[in-house]
Amino acid sequence: MSAPRKRADARRNEEALLEAAAAMFVAAGVDAPVRDIAAKAGVGIGTLYRHFPTRADLIVAVYRHQVEACAVAGPALLAESATPYAALTSWIDLFVDFLVTKHGLAEAMQSDDAAFQTLHAYFLDRLVPVCAQLLDAAATAGEIVPDMDALVLMRGIGNLCIGADSPSYDARRMVALVTAGLRRH
């Protein structure tokens, strides 16, 4: 039996909470006060707790929401971009945005909270195939070197984003160099 469909206002509130929490997590990390998140979303604290009974539930929901947005963007970019390489680089930019805004999430994911146990697998299951599709399209079009492994590329990009919170380090520039290095010369 499927769960009952939420009312439109409940869906709007949930979306507002996810967007507000994501913004607060970028600004203050995953320990941002839930009262501030509710206020930013324009809802009461009770509404926040009705949707997300624990902080872990909220963090997981924000993470999944952002992974899903990144996953959905891949095929859309491929359909609307001038070239597969343009779609790939646009998607990588979104992926970098996703990675550099995860202040405190790595530490939270290492906790014993069961809510975090499946997040990494979800991330891989949703995003590796999207990256692979974009790489395959660009390789088939002759725009990049063939046989680039999606997971290897994503790990490399992830490693380049680790220092992104340092003002003297430009993760985007480093990722752009990697992306340019994929081009066929």
Side-chain angles (χ1 to χ4, degrees):
M1 213 163 111
S2 67
R5 218 169 130 73
K6 290 183 180 179
R7 295 184 335 241
D9 62 328
R11 287 191 307 273
R12 278 192 305 274
N13 286 344
E14 183 176 38
E15 185 68 28
L17 283 164
L18 290 171
E19 296 299 326
M24 293 294 293
F25 292 169
V26 169
V30 295
D31 292 324
V34 291
R35 287 192 184 282
D36 294 352
I37 293 169
K40 186 172 182 64
V43 302
I45 194 77
T47 299
L48 184 145
Y49 282 119
R50 224 178 351 272
H51 287 279
F52 310 105
T54 68
R55 178 177 297 276
D57 293 332
L58 178 60
I59 293 168
V60 167
V62 167
Y63 185 84
R64 285 179 171 269
H65 182 70
Q66 291 177 325
V67 166
E68 199 56 36
C70 201
V72 169
L77 287 167
L78 198 52
E80 52 194 53
S81 296
T83 67
Y85 180 76
L88 174 65
T89 58
S90 294
W91 186 83
I92 288 173
D93 287 344
L94 291 174
F95 183 60
V96 169
D97 289 343
F98 170 80
L99 294 175
V100 300
T101 59
K102 300 296 167 262
H103 302 293
L105 185 61
E107 185 178 318
M109 287 178 68
Q110 299 304 319
S111 78
D112 291 334
D113 195 313
F116 298 117
Q117 300 299 319
T118 61
L119 278 184
H120 187 66
Y122 179 75
F123 169 88
L124 294 175
D125 290 348
R126 290 297 291 139
L127 297 185
V128 171
V130 173
C131 185
Q133 178 188 21
L134 291 162
L135 286 168
D136 289 345
T140 300
E143 297 178 301
I144 66 169
V145 296
D147 301 325
M148 181 68 224
D149 182 84
L151 182 57
V152 170
L153 177 63
M154 291 172 65
R155 278 192 179 140
I157 291 169
N159 287 335
L160 290 172
C161 291
I162 290 172
D165 54 353
S166 170
S168 63
Y169 179 71
D170 188 353
R172 291 185 187 292
R173 186 171 192 308
M174 298 308 296
V175 171
L177 290 170
V178 169
T179 306
L182 292 172
R183 293 294 300 231
R184 272 213 142 131
H185 300 290

